[in-house]
Amino acid sequence: MSLFLACELAVLERLDINEQRARLEQTLAGPLPDIGARAALRKLYLNITDELSQELAA
C-alpha cells in the first residue's frame, strides 16, 4: 500500500459517510500518484455510493 493511500484512508475513517463520498469525489477528480491508489479509492467510492443508495431505498 502506498503512503498516499494509507494517509487518505486514515483521513477517510475519521469522516462520516457523506463526507467520505465527497472527499473521494474530489480526490478521484485530480491526479493521483499511482494507478493502484486510484483503483482502491474508486472501489471504496463505489462501495460507499452503493451503501448510501441502499440506505435511501430503505
Side-chain angles (χ1 to χ4, degrees):
M1 178 185 309
S2 71
L3 179 59
F4 169 79
L5 184 56
C7 291
E8 192 64 25
L9 292 175
V11 169
L12 288 170
E13 72 181 16
R14 291 177 172 81
L15 303 174
D16 77 13
I17 194 163
N18 291 311
E19 292 170 333
Q20 287 177 1
R21 184 174 160 265
R23 180 167 177 105
L24 284 167
E25 284 177 353
Q26 291 177 343
T27 302
L28 290 168
L32 296 178
D34 62 67
I35 192 107
R38 179 172 293 283
L41 292 176
R42 179 76 177 146
K43 183 177 180 181
L44 181 58
Y45 174 77
L46 293 173
N47 288 342
I48 288 172
T49 302
D50 186 49
E51 186 177 327
L52 285 172
S53 65
Q54 288 177 4
E55 285 180 10
L56 289 174

